[in-house]
Amino acid sequence: MSDLPRFTVEYHIVAPDEKAARAKARGICIEQTVEVPEKIVAGTWLEEQVVGRIEKLELRSSTTSVWSVKISYPEAAAGEELPQFLNVLFGLTCQHAEVQLITPGMEKWLPGPRFGVEGLRKLCGVASGPLLCTALKPMGRSTAELADMAYSFAKGGVDIIKAGD
């Protein structure tokens, strides 16, 4: 069976030794993909293909006990959706002070905005300076209220107005 396409992410983790660093990294691999006890997926297709894999683990600083770990995840786990991609990258791991996301690994399958900065500037008619953006939150608002909010933002200099969820 061939591997599913994967992307690789780098984290820095604080751990006193390699065994502890590997255990934390393995916890990230499980937490960010299947979120079940490791024994449930041990020896299964899920472990081989879906669970994050430790690709490289090395000590970055012996004085601060910081380890660099590169973990690969299957692209399918992110579903080519930015919110799910961010969830795979950092989900519950963001609650651990001893874990830091370093390189998100998204370049291959999420290359960036379709229009680029110059395209957005052209669409907005803004040659230089910052582009301002806001999101409208429609909950409890009438259509007229939303239209008024969008108008006020545009008059106030906001370049891009996104419909919120």
Side-chain angles (χ1 to χ4, degrees), residues 32-125:
Q32 298 312 113
T33 53
V34 293
E35 295 185 75
V36 298
E38 189 170 358
K39 65 183 179 182
I40 291 175
V41 295
T44 68
W45 177 86
L46 286 172
E47 182 179 43
E48 292 174 17
Q49 296 292 323
V50 177
V51 172
R53 291 184 198 150
I54 300 171
E55 302 293 348
K56 187 175 184 180
L57 177 67
E58 63 185 0
L59 183 63
R60 280 193 53 84
S61 170
S62 58
T63 57
T64 58
S65 300
V66 173
W67 295 78
S68 169
V69 60
K70 292 188 178 178
I71 297 175
S72 70
Y73 298 105
E75 290 179 6
E80 295 186 16
E81 296 288 332
L82 183 59
Q84 181 58 23
F85 174 71
L86 295 174
N87 190 51
V88 171
L89 290 181
F90 221 47
L92 294 176
T93 300
C94 70
Q95 296 177 7
H96 303 286
E98 71 278 3
V99 178
Q100 181 181 15
L101 175 65
I102 300 299
T103 306
M106 62 191 265
E107 300 81 13
K108 176 184 169 195
W109 63 274
L110 194 59
R114 177 178 9 176
F115 302 110
V117 173
E118 291 310 312
L120 287 176
R121 288 191 177 287
K122 185 175 178 182
L123 286 169
C124 294

